[in-house]
Amino acid sequence: MPLSMNREVFITCAVTGSGDTVSKSSHVPITPKQIAEAAVEAAKAGAAIVHCHVRDPETGAPARRLDLYKEVTDRIRSADIDIVLNLTAGMGGDLVFGNVESPFPVNEKGTDMAGATERVAHVAECLPEICTLDCGTMNFSLGDYVMTNTPSMLREMARQMTALGVRPEIEAFDTGHLWFAKQLAEEGLIEDPVLIQLCMGIPWGAPDDLNTFMAMVNNVPSNWTFSAFSIGRNALAYPAAAILAGGNVRVGLEDNLYVGKGQLATNGQLVEKAVSVIEGMGAKIIGPKEVREKLKLTKR
């Protein structure tokens, strides 16, 4: 595949995520106020899109509470800067089996399974411009945890998102997820322009070596828009890889806690780092207005 560098790049900042990062960095936002402030910080640093999860304000654990999503949404929309809002819809598909000898009953403490309507209830309530759709099932990290998204579940969630006028961002963790995304588009369950996030280096999805990354890129239809990121130590290198491959950039404390060796980052610092890479490569950073035009988003 010939090199096709993207010359007009937008940055997404994933400000908190749902992983066990709160105990590792005091910069990871927990409360709705902190999450909204992190989103504003990222936007002022150059991010056009902020991707938000919510957490229990008392414990920092991942949450799906409507009141938390509503408060985050209201705070971001009342901020003094324009931001494209992207809410996760990945929660509610967590299945943790008992153990290798007795998978059932499942581990109730770790398992969080919900129906399609419940999984997108906050999307219907808050009507963000974008929401994520994790387009497949996979073994995730360690132990007996499986990220569960069946074809029927994904079809129904995609149908509801599209009916709400919210643009799904397909999160693809492996090539099969891209294959199914194409099927959703063929069935008319997701509409053009299709938006894809290539999620690299997450155990046990697609590793983040360049051969695998380009295999993912080569499976994205040429008329779709994609971003890419990796987690951990390769996260800071992935903005350059994504741009060179023709894509856009995602950074943030959901994916990586460090701005340098031993230096804990803020979301704003990670965006600033991405800005320097993009501009250093001779590309232009586009803002919320241009992103809305490009992706045909409905601002609310």
Side-chain angles (χ1 to χ4, degrees):
M1 174 181 176
L3 203 61
S4 181
M5 177 176 158
N6 185 11
R7 301 285 176 179
E8 294 190 341
V9 179
F10 62 78
I11 300 172
T12 297
C13 185
V15 298
T16 187
S18 60
D20 182 22
T21 52
V22 171
S23 62
K24 300 173 184 176
S25 172
S26 60
H27 297 307
V28 176
I30 297 172
T31 68
K33 182 175 184 289
Q34 290 170 345
I35 293 168
E37 287 174 347
V40 171
E41 175 195 21
K44 289 183 176 178
I49 303 172
V50 289
H51 171 57
C52 298
H53 292 241
V54 294
R55 294 177 179 270
D56 184 304
E58 301 298 325
T59 66
R64 290 193 288 112
R65 284 169 43 188
L66 286 179
D67 62 317
L68 298 178
Y69 278 112
K70 187 70 165 60
E71 184 177 348
V72 167
T73 299
D74 289 346
R75 286 181 177 274
I76 290 174
R77 285 179 173 156
S78 64
D80 61 352
I81 189 169
D82 191 18
I83 313 173
V84 174
L85 180 60
N86 176 344
L87 295 181
T88 184
M91 307 296 290
D94 299 332
L95 178 61
V96 182
F97 290 99
N99 59 58
V100 295
E101 299 297 345
S102 301
F104 294 105
V106 299
N107 183 324
E108 292 186 4
K109 183 178 179 181
T111 295
D112 176 31
M113 297 292 291
T117 299
E118 184 178 347
R119 288 181 70 174
V120 300
H122 64 292
V123 177
E125 174 73 20
C126 300
L127 293 176
E129 294 165 84
I130 302 170
C131 68
T132 59
L133 185 65
D134 297 341
C135 215
T137 294
M138 66 177 250
N139 294 331
F140 204 99
S141 191
L142 303 173
D144 299 299
Y145 169 49
V146 179
M147 179 181 75
T148 308
N149 296 288
T150 66
S152 296
M153 177 69 75
L154 290 170
R155 283 186 169 95
E156 180 56 23
M157 290 176 69
R159 187 195 67 75
Q160 292 192 27
M161 292 168 181
T162 299
L164 289 167
V166 177
R167 176 78 59 208
E169 178 190 60
I170 301 297
E171 291 204 338
F173 296 79
D174 218 331
T175 51
H177 300 181
L178 290 170
W179 187 5
F180 191 71
K182 294 175 191 176
Q183 183 64 30
L184 291 177
E186 185 176 316
E187 294 175 13
L189 294 172
I190 56 175
E191 299 175 340
D192 289 333
V194 177
L195 175 62
I196 295 282
Q197 186 69 249
L198 302 180
C199 310
M200 307 300 298
I202 293 92
W204 301 108
D208 62 4
D209 63 273
L210 289 180
N211 283 336
T212 304
F213 177 51
M214 289 312 300
M216 294 281 280
V217 171
N218 289 337
N219 274 282
V220 176
S222 60
N223 62 325
W224 291 10
T225 298
F226 78 91
S227 293
F229 71 93
S230 181
I231 64 170
R233 64 184 301 176
N234 289 332
L236 296 178
Y238 248 73
I243 296 163
L244 283 172
N248 299 280
V249 169
R250 170 170 143 172
V251 293
L253 293 180
E254 177 174 354
D255 309 325
N256 164 47
L257 298 177
Y258 295 91
V259 73
K261 187 173 182 180
Q263 297 176 283
L264 288 171
T266 66
N267 282 292
Q269 288 172 332
L270 292 174
V271 174
E272 288 170 358
K273 193 88 165 179
V275 167
S276 67
V277 171
I278 295 164
E279 293 181 339
M281 294 174 69
K284 172 188 174 184
I285 296 170
I286 63 174
K289 182 176 183 295
E290 293 90 345
V291 169
R292 290 189 182 97
E293 292 171 354
K294 182 181 181 69
L295 299 177
K296 298 182 181 178
L297 302 177
T298 302
K299 183 180 180 181
R300 299 182 174 91

